[in-house]
Amino acid sequence: MKTPAPAWTCGLALVLLLLLAVLQTTTAQKNGIDIYSLTVDSKVSSRFAHTVVTSRVVNKADTMQEATFQMELPKKAFITNFSMIIDGVTYPGNIKEKAAAQEQYSAAVARGESAGLVKATGRKMEQFQVSVSVAPAAKVTFELVYEELLKRRLGVYELLLKVQPQQVVKHLQMDIHIFEPQGISFLETESTFMTSELENALTTSQTQTKAHILFKPTLSQQQKSLEQQDTVINGNFIVRYDVNRTLSGGSIQIENGYFVHYFAPEGLPTIPKNVIFVIDKSGSMRGKKIQQTREALIKILDDLSPKDQFNLVPFSEEATQWKPSLVPASAENVKEARTYAAGIQAQGGTNINSAMLMAVQLLERATREELLPSGSVSLIILLTDGDPTVGETSPEKIQRNVQDAIGGQYSLFCLGFGFDVSYAFLERLALDNGGLARRIYEDSDSALQLEDFYQEVANPLLTAVAFEYPSNAVEDVTQDNFRLLFKGSEMVVAGKLRDQSPDVLSAKISGQLLMQNITFQTESGMAEQEEFPSPKYIFYNFMERLWAFLTIQQLLEQIVSASDTEKQALKTRALGLSLNYSFVTPLTSMVVTKPEGQEQSQVAEKPVENKNRHRNVPLGHGVFRYHSMGNRRSGMTAAENFSSRLGPPGPLHHRHSSYPFSNPNPRLTDMLLVPGLLSDPSGFDGVLHGMDLMITETISTSPPSGKLPAPSALTQAPSVILPLPGQSVDRLCVDIKHSQGPMNLLSDPDQGIEVTGHYEIEKAQFSWIKVTFRNPQLQVHATPEHVVVTQNRRSSAYKWKNTLFSVMPGLKMTEDKAGLLLLSSPDKVTIGLLFWDGPGQGLRLLLRDTDRFSRHISGTLGMLPMALRSGHPQKSPLPSNKQCPEFLCVSQPPCLYPLLIHPLFLRPVLPGCALGAPNRGR
């Protein structure tokens, strides 16, 4: 009997990725193609998203020009329509069976014209592109429509738009309407292109069941933003939300003869799990892959529950087991496993068959000997980066061997590292055994991808879940039985109602929880259903289209693991639905027609995941989450970028301005060069006695008269920068003298903030800094490589020097292109994190609004705000050479004029000064 597939709704948490009609004609000024209107209208009704992208262009040149409409959409989405209107004539796209389309337009396919229309371009997106020749003064309207069912992943739905018009647009608008009858529990937005000028163009409104997000920047706002960033709008816009839930049978929503049932009960306990990690350590994993695998595995081991049991099976030419049997995830066993995992080295071939059978035998023996907790769930997680090369190498035989061995008793999840592995092989291996496959992309965040996947399966809630509906009410339903429900995911069943169905639709959901049967019941009255709102929130027959979309998706998934005899019937049904509802799926193609005299046809086809082999997909795509903005001069480090603004050697002139860090929206154009005087830090000696801190200098932004000597070199920036109290414009620079491993820098229970870090004395820098907020529950972990933001077990990685603007309840998070990340709230201390790539490269910590700290503050730096609050120390006359702060100078003349440059304090060394030396005068 075929085991039911898992309710996997944790896959690509709605990714609505738009590249807003990018016109790949370099710029409008070069070829005369001008985008005068660009709009995105996205309606999300009961998790089903319907998006229309419309671009209107005009050819302002005197000759024929080519305009290219290009956008990106989620891999899980289906294109439903594309059309071009040229001089009032509409040229539609026609969706046909793939074989018929290819036969009809074989000549075009042979010329390669079909290849460029749709192709995979990133981790979660594919690119649609059409070009057309435009006569002088002629106008063209491009319109593309696609639909997708939003998937819940780690407790949220995520809507991501990638915005890149590549020019200032007269009418630019993103209009998003969300309607959720269950009620919207939270809503947050994030952007990688927002500036202080564009922030005012964004409006968000929310009621109990509806949300409206509108981004409509004027020409003036776009132009001012261009001055700030040296680039037009270019980046991601993300909406995240979830709905209200209770411990119940879920929510049934009915519309026009169709229904959808969402099930994700709150408050269920987590089922203990028995997990075996099967880790590829063959030679192809050598280098960064095995390093990131070890890093992720160590983190995953730390996240195991004490109620869990586990084992490790690393393999190359042969498979080995860490322990002869599964062991409890006690602190002692986890510590030992961490040490073992840290020593895994890569070499040899790839014997997947032997490793998988060993993992199954470990679970079988533990089950037979009754060593596993009653009611627990058993999982196997396979990570490999290549095809089998040793032992049994036939993928088909390995699939049969593994399926026979598992026998429907355990769930298998397969992770393919990179593009040298057959994804189709891993996908079938997983789907045959009640799991799923996921590709892990080779990049700096590969370890985070592995950790994120584990979080999706870390907390099983129910097993053997089945949905039942009255046969006299329901005619046809999508998949209605599932092997596992995980915390943070959601089960979705859609169906068609009978013509003479009862006035009330009831449902019974049964499952197992810790060896006990559990049943939920719910019902929805046809007449009691809330009347769906105006068309701005819904689209025609959306519930019926949702049912068709989900049915096609599940049929395509079943085809992967079906026998040859089953496949044809599944394909026939999926093809029929695809044609009836005009979806471009792997079984259909869309033929794009053009005006006479141009290419007469192009064929748009749905890319297949496994055909994307050997592609290098960088972290910096936008996920979805990343878009590297760069510095103003290509290839410059932050230090070089700052230094280039100092001008040539010689007398320095400064302009008067306020200190940029006091600006809630700091930017590079606020960069400030001001001289300052060293203050006597001796007034803090009593307070700092016994602390591992050193006040290196106090810098005033009040400039003295005269010009400064030119700097001959720059030393490293201080580790910590704090403002002095009251109306003072002075800032305190602090370095740490001693450190033994991770340290608690700041902890304030009243503010709900904790800052920890690891300071390396030899390098005089932080290797990592972690900021934890209690409300909202959020953690920011900064390393020199990137910043990882974790909320509700969901992690997002951001590269330094990317523009970021994120607003969530209780916290605002921004980053500028200089790499300054600010975490702020109206009533909290502002915390700044900076990756400085100049002299003394590393992380820096900056604090603002320190008067908001409570008197319960503690930690290594915790005493400083209290000391500063008691009053500013009396300034002494200019310090002598013996009073020069450490690392500034050792000989005459004294270093009188440290430089303040946003967002750093950079210290120049004058002639006669040496770097890196202690405070010893002559």
Side-chain angles (χ1 to χ4, degrees):
M1 178 178 175
K2 190 175 180 64
T3 52
W8 194 258
T9 56
C10 301
L12 293 174
L14 160 82
V15 180
L16 180 62
L17 262 164
L18 295 176
L19 179 58
L20 286 184
V22 175
L23 291 181
Q24 296 285 44
T25 50
T26 59
T27 65
Q29 290 74 21
K30 288 187 178 180
N31 71 349
I33 295 293
D34 178 56
I35 311 173
Y36 62 89
S37 177
L38 189 57
T39 63
V40 174
D41 181 20
S42 187
K43 295 180 173 67
V44 182
S45 304
S46 296
R47 284 75 141 179
F48 196 50
H50 174 91
T51 301
V52 180
V53 183
T54 306
S55 176
R56 293 179 171 86
V57 306
V58 61
N59 181 9
K60 293 186 174 181
D62 296 330
T63 58
M64 183 82 74
Q65 297 292 331
E66 184 177 76
T68 301
F69 174 86
Q70 176 183 299
M71 62 155 295
E72 296 178 10
L73 66 156
K75 290 180 179 178
K76 294 292 185 180
F78 293 156
I79 293 174
T80 65
N81 187 41
F82 174 76
S83 64
M84 295 182 290
I85 303 175
I86 305 174
D87 288 335
V89 180
T90 300
Y91 299 87
N94 300 310
I95 296 177
K96 300 175 178 289
E97 181 182 358
K98 179 176 287 188
Q102 289 179 338
E103 181 180 348
Q104 185 174 352
Y105 300 101
S106 57
V109 174
R111 291 195 301 270
E113 294 172 2
S114 65
L117 284 194
V118 184
K119 60 183 178 181
T121 58
R123 298 182 182 183
K124 298 183 179 182
M125 52 190 166
E126 54 200 30
Q127 183 186 88
F128 177 89
Q129 177 175 306
V130 170
S131 299
V132 64
S133 296
V134 185
K139 294 182 178 181
V140 179
T141 297
F142 300 97
E143 182 178 277
L144 188 135
V145 183
Y146 66 87
E147 295 173 349
E148 182 186 15
L149 180 62
L150 283 63
K151 299 294 183 71
R152 188 171 185 248
R153 176 182 173 272
L154 293 173
V156 297
Y157 307 100
E158 185 172 282
L159 178 68
L160 172 57
L161 293 82
K162 188 171 183 180
V163 187
Q164 193 178 356
Q166 295 194 351
Q167 69 170 75
V168 173
V169 180
K170 183 178 180 181
H171 179 220
L172 176 62
Q173 176 176 303
M174 288 185 290
D175 201 9
I176 304 165
H177 288 89
I178 301 173
F179 172 66
E180 291 292 349
Q182 284 179 254
I184 299 172
S185 61
F186 85 92
L187 179 77
E188 65 183 40
T189 61
E190 176 182 312
S191 168
T192 62
F193 61 79
M194 200 69 67
T195 64
S196 57
E197 294 296 338
L198 294 176
E199 181 181 353
N200 296 326
L202 175 66
T203 58
T204 301
S205 60
Q206 180 183 344
T207 65
Q208 183 178 350
T209 59
K210 302 171 188 174
H212 180 213
I213 299 101
L214 177 66
F215 178 65
K216 191 175 181 180
T218 64
L219 275 174
S220 175
Q221 287 172 324
Q222 294 179 61
Q223 289 163 349
K224 289 180 179 178
S225 178
L226 175 60
E227 295 171 4
Q228 285 183 350
Q229 295 196 117
D230 255 10
T231 182
V232 292
I233 293 175
N234 189 340
N236 304 328
F237 185 80
I238 305 168
V239 180
R240 296 188 183 97
Y241 77 95
D242 197 15
V243 301
N244 297 321
R245 302 175 193 279
T246 59
L247 183 57
S248 68
S251 171
I252 297 178
Q253 297 160 31
I254 302 170
E255 191 258 347
N256 200 24
Y258 289 81
F259 77 92
V260 62
H261 186 177
Y262 294 107
F263 180 68
E266 286 289 292
L268 292 176
T270 299
I271 300 174
K273 61 184 179 295
N274 317 300
V275 57
I276 296 183
F277 300 96
V278 184
I279 307 299
D280 186 346
K281 62 167 187 172
S282 61
S284 57
M285 289 283 289
R286 189 179 295 114
K288 195 167 185 179
K289 282 185 185 178
I290 199 67
Q291 175 188 340
Q292 292 175 320
T293 300
R294 289 193 298 256
E295 177 187 333
L297 187 54
I298 289 171
K299 179 67 169 61
I300 289 170
L301 290 170
D302 286 339
D303 289 339
L304 287 172
S305 167
K307 297 180 180 179
D308 295 337
Q309 298 206 43
F310 74 104
N311 205 341
L312 308 176
V313 179
F315 71 95
S316 53
E317 294 179 357
E318 295 181 353
T320 58
Q321 53 194 36
W322 169 55
K323 294 287 185 181
S325 62
L326 280 82
V327 298
S330 64
E332 182 180 350
N333 286 334
V334 168
K335 182 179 179 182
E336 186 179 345
R338 283 168 51 96
T339 303
Y340 179 83
I344 295 177
Q345 301 297 324
Q347 59 181 355
T350 307
N351 192 337
I352 294 177
N353 188 72
S354 175
M356 287 303 306
L357 295 182
M358 177 178 288
V360 176
Q361 289 166 6
L362 282 168
L363 287 172
E364 281 182 340
R365 185 165 64 249
T367 303
R368 189 169 56 251
E369 298 175 2
E370 299 183 349
L371 301 176
L372 303 179
S374 59
S376 59
V377 172
S378 295
L379 312 176
I380 300 174
I381 299 178
L382 167 67
L383 170 67
T384 181
D385 78 328
D387 295 336
T389 61
V390 177
E392 180 58 70
T393 58
S394 166
E396 292 77 14
K397 289 184 179 179
I398 295 174
Q399 288 163 0
R400 286 198 300 271
N401 291 343
V402 173
Q403 188 173 17
D404 291 344
I406 288 179
Q409 298 300 306
Y410 321 118
S411 295
L412 171 61
F413 299 91
C414 298
L415 304 177
F417 207 141
F419 285 88
D420 293 328
V421 63
S422 169
Y423 187 81
F425 163 60
L426 293 183
E427 186 177 38
R428 178 164 185 178
L429 198 61
L431 292 176
D432 279 345
N433 298 282
L436 61 80
R438 176 78 56 82
R439 192 186 297 282
I440 302 299
Y441 294 86
E442 294 183 55
D443 212 324
S444 62
D445 72 332
S446 297
L448 182 64
Q449 295 176 54
L450 291 169
E451 295 166 25
D452 249 17
F453 170 80
Y454 171 75
Q455 288 298 329
E456 294 179 27
V457 300
N459 297 286
L461 300 178
L462 287 174
T463 63
V465 182
F467 292 72
E468 294 180 36
Y469 305 95
S471 58
N472 65 335
V474 174
E475 181 178 328
D476 189 9
V477 296
T478 57
Q479 179 182 339
D480 57 5
N481 60 93
F482 306 87
R483 179 177 288 190
L484 288 168
L485 171 67
F486 292 101
K487 184 177 182 179
S489 68
E490 182 176 60
M491 290 178 172
V492 185
V493 178
K496 183 178 181 181
L497 300 175
R498 295 188 182 276
D499 292 338
Q500 302 298 325
S501 60
D503 293 336
V504 175
L505 175 62
S506 61
K508 183 174 78 171
I509 306 98
S510 59
Q512 285 197 329
L513 173 62
L514 298 173
M515 292 297 290
Q516 294 184 351
N517 294 327
I518 184 171
T519 301
F520 299 89
Q521 290 189 336
T522 188
E523 62 181 27
S524 179
M526 310 292 184
E528 296 174 3
Q529 277 284 307
E530 178 180 349
E531 186 175 330
F532 281 89
S534 63
K536 69 180 181 180
Y537 284 94
I538 64 171
F539 47 97
Y540 180 69
N541 283 347
F542 82 93
M543 194 72 76
E544 180 179 353
R545 296 189 64 81
L546 186 159
W547 165 79
F549 183 98
L550 185 59
T551 301
I552 294 169
Q553 222 176 32
Q554 292 176 353
L555 288 170
L556 293 173
E557 192 174 84
Q558 292 170 26
I559 289 171
V560 173
S561 57
S563 64
D564 291 340
T565 54
E566 295 173 324
K567 280 184 179 180
Q568 189 54 50
L570 294 171
K571 283 184 177 180
T572 300
R573 188 179 180 211
L575 174 61
L577 287 171
S578 299
L579 293 173
N580 288 343
Y581 291 92
S582 298
F583 287 130
V584 177
T585 70
L587 303 176
T588 57
S589 299
M590 182 172 66
V591 180
V592 178
T593 57
K594 294 186 178 182
E596 187 176 353
Q598 301 189 36
E599 294 178 48
Q600 285 304 295
S601 62
Q602 285 186 295
V603 182
E605 299 178 348
K606 185 80 174 171
V608 179
E609 171 69 25
N610 195 53
K611 293 183 179 179
N612 304 332
R613 300 186 66 173
H614 308 294
R615 287 183 50 81
N616 181 21
V617 184
L619 170 72
H621 79 62
V623 147
F624 50 98
R625 303 180 228 213
Y626 318 87
H627 182 81
S628 181
M629 306 298 294
N631 288 310
R632 291 176 179 261
R633 272 176 39 194
S634 175
M636 298 172 67
T637 65
E640 291 168 338
N641 194 28
F642 285 134
S643 300
S644 68
R645 292 180 164 243
L646 296 179
L652 295 179
H653 300 271
H654 61 272
R655 58 186 178 89
H656 207 114
S657 179
S658 61
Y659 178 52
F661 191 52
S662 65
N663 184 348
N665 295 293
R667 57 188 190 271
L668 283 182
T669 51
D670 288 330
M671 188 175 292
L672 174 66
L673 177 63
V674 274
L677 300 176
L678 298 179
S679 299
D680 182 7
S682 60
F684 291 93
D685 284 348
V687 176
L688 300 180
H689 180 69
M691 296 181 65
D692 296 329
L693 300 176
M694 173 178 56
I695 299 177
T696 55
E697 55 190 286
T698 307
I699 299 180
S700 171
T701 60
S702 179
S705 59
K707 298 177 181 179
L708 295 175
S712 59
L714 296 176
T715 71
Q716 62 197 41
S719 305
V720 183
I721 301 176
L722 305 97
L724 292 180
Q727 300 301 315
S728 171
V729 291
D730 289 353
R731 264 69 185 171
L732 191 68
C733 303
V734 181
D735 278 336
I736 298 172
K737 296 190 296 184
H738 305 290
S739 174
Q740 295 180 350
M743 56 196 304
N744 178 17
L745 298 172
L746 289 169
S747 181
D748 189 335
D750 293 3
Q751 284 270 302
I753 296 175
E754 182 180 61
V755 182
T756 56
H758 186 275
Y759 190 78
E760 299 179 356
I761 293 295
E762 314 79 45
K763 298 180 180 179
Q765 68 179 43
F766 288 102
S767 57
W768 57 262
I769 297 175
K770 185 187 298 181
V771 184
T772 303
F773 293 90
R774 187 174 61 231
N775 186 23
Q777 292 186 351
L778 180 139
Q779 186 180 89
V780 179
H781 189 271
T783 66
E785 221 166 21
H786 53 220
V787 177
V788 176
V789 179
T790 302
Q791 188 176 21
N792 297 327
R793 302 179 297 115
R794 171 177 46 86
S795 298
S796 301
Y798 304 91
K799 287 188 173 180
W800 291 106
K801 301 187 180 179
N802 289 1
T803 305
L804 175 66
F805 183 90
S806 177
V807 179
M808 62 194 76
L811 187 67
K812 180 178 177 181
M813 183 166 56
T814 64
E815 183 182 353
D816 61 16
K817 292 193 293 181
L820 176 62
L821 178 70
L822 293 181
L823 308 167
S824 60
S825 179
D827 56 351
K828 286 187 173 69
V829 174
T830 295
I831 296 175
L833 298 173
L834 174 76
F835 175 64
W836 169 240
D837 59 358
Q841 182 183 55
L843 298 173
R844 297 295 185 264
L845 172 66
L846 306 94
L847 300 175
R848 194 181 69 202
D849 306 319
T850 54
D851 57 333
R852 294 175 179 171
F853 277 123
S854 75
R855 296 191 177 277
H856 300 108
I857 187 173
S858 61
T860 305
L861 299 176
M863 293 301 295
L864 280 174
M866 294 298 295
L868 294 175
R869 190 178 292 173
S870 65
H872 192 294
Q874 294 294 320
K875 290 189 177 181
S876 64
L878 295 181
S880 66
N881 184 52
K882 291 183 179 180
Q883 294 173 307
C884 271
E886 193 170 4
F887 304 123
L888 279 181
C889 63
V890 295
S891 59
Q892 295 293 339
C895 300
L896 301 180
Y897 301 107
L899 299 181
L900 168 62
I901 302 180
H902 168 64
L904 293 170
F905 292 101
L906 305 182
R907 295 173 241 173
V909 179
L910 307 182
C913 292
L915 298 182
N919 292 334
R920 293 192 302 271
R922 286 182 175 176

